[in-house]
Amino acid sequence: MKTSLLLLPLLLAAHLASAENPTPPPTQISEAVTLIAAEKFDKAEAFARERQQGTEGWRAGIGKWSIVDGAAYAIQEGPSEKRPNGHEAVCEHLTDLGDLILTGEFKLGPSPQVGFVCRDTNSPNNHLGRVVITPTAIWIQKMSGIAKETRREELKKIEVKIDPEAWHRITVEVCGDRWVARIDDHVLEGSHERFKDRKGRVGMVARGEGAQFRNLALWSAKPKS
């Protein structure tokens, strides 16, 4: 018993170190260079809503974001005069990256769709690309524009069952003109010149209510040699 008690501080320190300095995931086309952000999303302070425009941090921009059961919980924005059809919930990390690796965990819950997204460094930041996950399919799409000018082109899609009540692991690699996404054991890849543009915002989106996210980490990356 005494040995176990003595080990507790060491175990706690190791746990905190791993949460703040996660190990880069196995990858296909790129390798991690620098850790940009690591967030468990177990505390409300994870969201940088109050930060000044232009600063780095996870910004709970559209919709309502909170912490539920130790994870970020998303509720999309309802219809309004500005957005008659409402808008998916959006949480993004402000940055300035070329190639990147993003990892995390998600649970769909009752949400019909979640996505892991990039926008460019224009002002305003135009959509660049995303991987989209539903209970029955996953796809990668190239994007451009913003708001009503948004355009999307589906590059690769697979039909697959995703359990809405289970936590799933995702790794996204955007390297050069290639976008690789691994969701659990499912891997798909899309390619487009648009993906070469610098990324000013990286994050997650969710439709409806009930999607959750945790343990997100973002690295700058370089092509595998």
Side-chain angles (χ1 to χ4, degrees):
M1 180 63 71
K2 290 182 179 179
T3 301
S4 297
L5 290 175
L6 289 172
L7 284 174
L8 281 176
L10 296 176
L11 293 172
L12 178 59
H15 171 74
L16 293 174
S18 64
E20 297 171 358
N21 299 287
T23 302
T27 51
Q28 289 192 200
I29 62 172
S30 64
E31 56 185 86
V33 176
T34 303
L35 179 66
I36 304 301
E39 183 55 64
K40 293 174 65 177
F41 284 105
D42 59 345
K43 297 180 177 64
E45 295 78 35
F47 301 116
R49 183 187 294 274
E50 303 302 325
R51 297 192 184 189
Q52 295 292 322
Q53 181 69 26
T55 61
E56 295 184 354
W58 292 98
R59 300 179 66 89
I62 299 179
K64 181 180 179 181
W65 291 85
S66 59
I67 304 299
V68 176
D69 296 331
Y73 184 93
I75 303 176
Q76 79 167 42
E77 181 183 283
S80 64
E81 182 176 348
K82 181 179 180 180
R83 300 186 179 100
N85 297 319
H87 195 287
E88 61 191 357
V90 180
C91 182
E92 298 169 307
H93 190 280
L94 277 64
T95 187
D96 186 352
L97 288 173
D99 298 336
L100 63 87
I101 297 169
L102 175 69
T103 65
E105 296 173 272
F106 70 91
K107 180 164 66 173
L108 281 162
S111 171
Q113 178 176 302
V114 301
F116 292 84
V117 307
C118 294
R119 289 201 273 162
D120 63 24
T121 55
N122 289 333
S123 182
N125 306 88
N126 291 321
H127 295 289
L128 189 152
R130 65 175 60 182
V131 56
V132 182
I133 302 116
T134 74
T136 59
I138 305 167
W139 65 90
I140 294 171
Q141 60 190 37
K142 162 263 180 182
M143 303 180 72
S144 63
I146 193 70
K148 293 181 180 179
E149 302 302 318
T150 300
R151 299 291 181 267
R152 55 184 60 84
E153 177 187 346
E154 187 178 295
L155 302 176
K156 178 67 176 182
K157 184 175 185 178
I158 58 174
E159 306 291 336
V160 61
K161 297 291 185 183
I162 299 294
D163 183 353
E165 299 306 319
W167 282 100
H168 303 276
R169 183 75 180 172
I170 183 167
T171 298
V172 173
E173 299 176 69
V174 186
C175 187
D177 65 352
R178 301 168 68 187
W179 183 305
V180 175
R182 174 185 289 274
I183 295 88
D184 298 331
D185 294 327
H186 309 291
V187 181
L188 62 164
E189 178 177 340
S191 179
H192 198 280
E193 287 292 309
R194 175 72 169 140
F195 297 153
K196 292 181 177 180
D197 293 345
R198 292 195 69 79
K199 294 83 183 170
R201 291 176 180 251
V202 181
M204 62 272 199
V205 299
R207 290 187 181 178
E209 176 179 351
Q212 290 185 272
F213 305 85
R214 67 187 185 189
N215 298 326
L216 265 73
L218 174 66
W219 288 267
S220 65
K222 63 181 181 180
K224 278 192 172 180
S225 54

